[in-house]
Amino acid sequence: MWTKHHKKRKFGRLALPVITVAFLSYFGYHSVHGDFGLRGMEDFERQRMERQARLDVLVRQRQILEKEVALMSDGSLERDMLDEKARSYLNMSRADEIVIFH
């Protein structure tokens, strides 16, 4: 009976562990340093805080504008509001007036 003898190669035993280490190293590195990794999440959180602050400012400005529009368009036009806006846009006042800008 004939038998084949194979010489054990060291490469065959090391192939799977080397591939596994390379695979885990690649994904481990990108889980920390990648765009969606731990450091990327810090950048996202910083951007979220900046944008939330900007949104708060814009919401406040919008509330002020909505209040002014409500005063000008609720059926009876406020003469003082209309006079204030006209003078502000035209940059005009009478000689005996004191102008206080807010």
Side-chain angles (χ1 to χ4, degrees):
M1 171 163 39
W2 293 93
T3 61
K4 292 185 178 180
H5 295 282
H6 294 283
K7 183 178 180 183
K8 296 279 184 178
R9 294 183 182 157
K10 291 182 182 181
F11 179 72
R13 281 189 272 173
L14 294 177
L16 185 61
V18 167
I19 291 171
T20 303
V21 167
F23 182 80
L24 291 176
S25 298
Y26 175 80
F27 284 106
Y29 175 81
H30 287 288
S31 68
V32 174
H33 299 286
D35 291 341
F36 297 103
L38 296 175
R39 291 196 180 164
M41 293 304 288
E42 292 173 358
D43 292 338
F44 284 142
E45 185 64 23
R46 181 184 47 78
Q47 286 179 359
R48 189 189 68 79
M49 296 297 282
E50 290 172 358
R51 290 177 182 169
Q52 183 64 42
R54 177 71 177 139
L55 176 65
D56 293 340
V57 169
L58 291 175
V59 165
R60 182 67 185 135
Q61 288 176 351
R62 181 182 174 136
Q63 289 173 346
I64 291 170
L65 290 174
E66 286 177 350
K67 180 181 172 187
E68 291 176 0
V69 168
L71 288 173
M72 289 193 301
S73 65
D74 66 348
S76 64
L77 193 60
E78 294 275 338
R79 288 189 68 193
D80 290 335
M81 177 62 76
L82 182 62
D83 186 48
E84 176 187 339
K85 290 297 177 186
R87 290 174 188 272
S88 173
Y89 290 136
L90 297 175
N91 197 20
M92 296 180 70
S93 64
R94 286 181 264 174
D96 62 342
E97 291 181 335
I98 298 174
V99 179
I100 300 174
F101 295 106
H102 58 81

